[in-house]
Structure formats: structure tokens, C-alpha cells
Amino acid sequence: MQIDKLRGKELDQLFNAILSLQDIEECYRLFDDLATVNEIQSLAQRLEVARMLREGYTYHKIETETGASTATISRVKRCLNYGNDAYEMVLNRIHNAE
């Protein structure tokens, strides 16, 4: 995993903070303090791109609907195909919770 290079006390603290959140409102509050609006939008956009790729949407349709660049779409697709299966894991959990 690429993130292994960052592994340590500070990243553990961040992830433990995220895991401690109890509902969506707490997520909004933490991420509003933690990140810029653009950073939050980028993360949300990537997850939506992953969902759309998984459902078979074309690059053009994804680009049109999300505003994501083809570079972002390609990166997300590479993660879906060769990554840690985290997109699949969370998208399945979201789908099952609905």
C-alpha cells in the first residue's frame, strides 16, 4: 500500500478521530474544521466516480455528471482494478445500509 509510507502516530490519530465519529453531522463538523471545501469535494467526487465506474458508466458520462477530469477517473479506475478493494468495500456497505 502506498499509504504505508505515511503510517505513524499522526495518521493513526487522524483515522482514530474519524472512527470515533458517531453520525453524519459529526462528520460534517470534523471535516469542516479539518479540510478545505475543495479537498472535501474532491474526496466525495472520487467516491462518486468509483460508484459510477462500478455501475458501468462511460468516462464521458462520469466527466459530465461529476466534473471529474479524465485523469481523476483513470486514477479511481486503477484503484478499483488494482487497489486495496476499499472502494468496493465501502460502496457495498453503503448499498447494504440503504
Side-chain angles (χ1 to χ4, degrees):
M1 285 191 296
Q2 295 177 19
I3 201 166
D4 281 338
K5 294 176 183 176
L6 303 176
R7 192 177 292 268
K9 180 180 154 191
E10 290 178 357
L11 199 54
D12 287 352
Q13 177 178 258
L14 172 62
F15 292 156
N16 281 322
I18 293 168
L19 289 169
S20 77
L21 299 172
Q22 296 180 0
D23 56 32
I24 288 179
E25 186 57 36
E26 287 187 0
C27 289
Y28 274 98
R29 290 173 52 202
L30 176 65
F31 279 87
D32 189 38
D33 287 350
L34 187 63
T36 67
V37 170
N38 287 340
E39 290 167 336
I40 296 165
Q41 286 176 323
S42 292
L43 293 171
Q45 181 187 66
R46 289 178 193 157
L47 187 59
E48 178 62 4
V49 167
R51 183 194 66 77
M52 293 177 78
L53 283 168
R54 194 171 84 144
E55 292 182 9
Y57 287 80
T58 64
Y59 272 42
H60 179 72
K61 183 73 170 174
I62 295 168
E63 191 175 10
T64 301
E65 287 195 18
T66 67
S69 68
T70 55
T72 296
I73 298 168
S74 294
R75 184 185 185 289
V76 172
K77 185 171 184 174
R78 189 170 44 255
C79 289
L80 283 170
N81 291 333
Y82 306 108
N84 300 302
D85 297 325
Y87 279 124
E88 285 290 330
M89 176 183 66
V90 298
L91 289 170
N92 286 336
R93 287 178 183 171
I94 291 168
H95 178 76
N96 291 337
E98 292 175 344

